[in-house]
Amino acid sequence: MTSKKITRALISVFYKDNLEPIIHLLAKHNVEFVSTGGTQEFIEKLGYAVTPVEKLTTYPSIFGGRVKTLHPAVFGGILFRREDAGDLKQAAEFNINPIDLVIVDLYPFEETVAKGGSEEDIIEKIDIGGISLIRAAAKNFKDVLIVSSRTQYAAVLELLTRKNAATELSDRKLFAAMAFDTTSHYDTAIFSYFNREAQIPSFKSSLQQGQVLRYGENPHQKGVYFGNLESLFSKLNGKELSYNNLVDVDAAVNLVQEFEGEKAFVIIKHTNACGVAIGQSVKEAYLKAFQADTISAFGGVLACNAPVDVAAAEEINKLFFEILIAPDFEPAALELLKSKKNRIILKQNHRLTNSKQFKSLLNGVIEQDVDFKTDSKQDLKVVTKVAPSASEVNALLFASKVCKHTKSNTIILAVDGQMLASGVGQTSRVDALKQAIEKAGAFGFKLEGAVMASDAFFPFPDCVDIAHQNGIKAVIQPGGSIKDQDSIDFCDQHGMSMVFTGFRHFKH
């Protein structure tokens, strides 16, 4: 028979929120309760009799609570096979009674780590008995229902209400799968904590929240987002985010947070910036960013690092765009921007804090540290006879920030606080520069006095030569080519300044 009536339940949980309705339902169906410690007290306060685990094991909770349920009387009741003659004989011989339902959650290990707990506190939050009970009950899903997380309370309450405290094999197998999801995630969190020091070259990542997307990068591809997007953003308007939306949002948020302490606005198209600027107001920053490429901005992803006011919203609202991200919105500005029902408006709740990046590659996964390095004045090494002016230094550092977040090979042309044009994703740095120059001209920018940023070194002086021909006066690059001196000499011969940062910012 696949349908099994629950007659005996082992319940031992850290979190007791929303547990009470389940207890009442089980009691209504005359289910016997077995429990420990605080959960036992909780059930008894509801007016129901409880068999203490200690009565089954004949041992008290020992070693500060580290050992409570690890005993054949408990695990035997969960694991013995109800249709196996040998198991039934041994259960009778050792007076082991069946346990049909296990409700257990795990000590809050991740929460303790996140709160900065001491090592002693963290280690004590490594659950032993609980995770063993979950695995045992999940393994014997043919006979036992396992509830492994408080997030499952509503589902199990609905199930047991509908089926009068009975379950089908398919129900138990589903909850077993969720149980192994719980245990594997928990073990991954513990490993990650220990591996901060151990640095074992083993890749493990676990994200339990998944959102099925309409499709992947293209309509014929399936797509899923794993992660708690709601903790990062509050969606104030618009349709659901697509795969491509999420990729562009990631690019926009990573770029705009480079400009901490300044009012910055970025416009992203296919992960590359088609407009970036800073200003005294959000409106000014937006208009300067939009000016860089008024064509590509159409249907773009917009991000700002300051609250959007009405003045800015009135300008932004003139543009057809997919998404706008900001830390906040004035009420009147939000109402104006919500005039288009499909327009996605996201309030960003906190900065991105991921320290690692990874992606599938070939027959494995490749991982690296996030590029947290932002070039600063302290990094600049003037390698030419002419040094850049204070205004040029500001423009160079601004361009470098944009360059870092643009697909290689890339060239960024800028003035202080405004990107004029970009050449992105080119197989040649010369082609990237020519693309940027052409774009700048197409949108009415004169490059006399502008600066140039490159994500990597110049192997030849051709780029500084082309830059000089178009009026560019200052250059920022990592340096590191065996032919650096050729570019330096050209700059010296033509009155240009150039600085090295010592840091390459490839982006593929």
Side-chain angles (χ1 to χ4, degrees), residues 4 22 28 32 54 66 73 95 159 161 165 192 207 220 252 259 265 288 344 468 471 477-478 483 485:
K4 289 185 178 288
I22 299 173
K28 176 183 173 183
E32 177 189 345
E54 293 88 343
R66 284 189 167 196
N95 195 29
L159 173 69
T161 300
S192 298
L207 295 166
H220 61 277
F259 299 95
F265 206 102
K288 287 166 65 178
I344 300 170
H468 167 69
Q477 58 138 318
K483 294 187 176 182
Q485 195 60 47

Side-chain angles (χ1 to χ4, degrees), residues 44-317:
E44 288 173 338
K45 285 181 180 178
L46 295 177
Y48 305 116
V50 179
T51 300
V53 164
E54 293 88 343
K55 186 175 180 179
L56 300 185
T57 65
T58 70
Y59 277 90
S61 174
I62 57 177
F63 307 130
R66 284 189 167 196
V67 179
K68 290 182 285 190
T69 58
L70 297 169
H71 191 279
V74 176
F75 281 85
I78 295 169
L79 281 166
F80 88 80
R81 290 158 290 191
R82 282 35 165 192
E83 297 176 6
D84 184 284
D87 284 10
L88 288 168
K89 182 180 177 182
Q90 285 190 316
E93 179 184 353
F94 294 105
N95 195 29
I96 294 174
N97 294 314
I99 295 171
D100 314 301
L101 168 64
V102 175
I103 302 178
V104 176
D105 62 8
L106 300 172
Y107 291 159
F109 178 85
E110 287 182 281
E111 294 89 334
T112 306
V113 172
K115 290 177 181 177
S118 66
E119 183 171 277
E120 182 180 0
D121 288 340
I122 290 169
I123 298 306
E124 286 306 310
K125 292 299 186 293
I126 297 176
D127 206 311
I128 303 300
I131 204 163
S132 301
L133 289 167
I134 291 171
R135 290 178 63 85
K139 177 176 181 176
N140 199 23
F141 66 87
K142 286 187 177 180
D143 299 307
V144 182
L145 176 67
I146 173 63
V147 180
S148 57
S149 168
R150 56 181 168 165
T151 62
Q152 299 164 15
Y153 287 177
V156 79
L157 179 62
E158 187 278 329
L159 173 69
L160 297 182
T161 300
R162 179 164 42 87
K163 297 189 176 181
N164 295 314
T167 60
E168 302 295 329
L169 178 61
S170 59
D171 302 322
R172 298 189 295 276
K173 194 169 185 178
L174 173 61
F175 275 84
M178 292 191 288
F180 286 119
D181 179 35
T182 297
T183 59
S184 65
H185 178 81
Y186 195 75
D187 282 338
T188 296
I190 295 169
F191 170 77
S192 298
Y193 171 76
F194 278 93
N195 208 37
R196 292 176 182 179
E197 292 184 15
Q199 293 294 298
I200 298 167
S202 175
F203 178 80
K204 289 181 174 63
S205 182
S206 178
L207 295 166
Q208 289 183 293
Q209 291 176 286
Q211 176 184 341
V212 177
L213 306 173
R214 294 196 302 275
Y215 50 80
E217 198 163 7
N218 299 292
H220 61 277
Q221 295 170 272
K222 293 180 180 179
V224 183
Y225 176 80
F226 295 101
N228 185 6
L229 202 61
E230 291 180 358
S231 71
L232 181 60
F233 298 115
S234 299
K235 187 157 76 74
L236 306 179
N237 191 66
K239 59 188 179 182
E240 292 301 314
L241 289 159
S242 70
Y243 181 100
N244 292 329
N245 287 157
L246 289 165
V247 173
D248 283 340
V249 166
D250 179 72
V253 170
N254 274 288
L255 175 53
V256 81
Q257 72 181 26
E258 289 279 355
F259 299 95
E260 191 170 6
E262 301 172 293
K263 286 187 173 68
F265 206 102
V266 308
I267 304 173
I268 297 290
K269 200 69 173 288
H270 296 293
T271 75
N272 290 307
C274 55
V276 185
I278 56 177
Q280 295 299 309
S281 66
V282 175
K283 175 182 175 180
E284 180 190 355
Y286 164 71
L287 289 174
K288 287 166 65 178
F290 178 64
Q291 190 179 17
D293 188 341
T294 57
I295 295 174
S296 297
F298 182 86
V301 172
L302 285 53
C304 179
N305 63 358
V308 174
D309 55 22
V310 173
E314 287 174 344
E315 293 296 333
I316 297 168
N317 194 52

Side-chain angles (χ1 to χ4, degrees), residues 407-411 423-435 454-457 459-460 462-463 506-508:
K407 292 286 178 133
S408 301
N409 289 307
T410 185
I411 293 289
V424 303
Q426 299 299 305
T427 53
S428 155
R429 203 158 300 280
V430 171
D431 286 344
L433 175 55
K434 288 179 177 178
Q435 182 189 57
S454 173
D455 58 337
F457 62 64
F460 305 104
D462 44 11
C463 281
F506 270 165
K507 190 171 188 292
H508 293 104

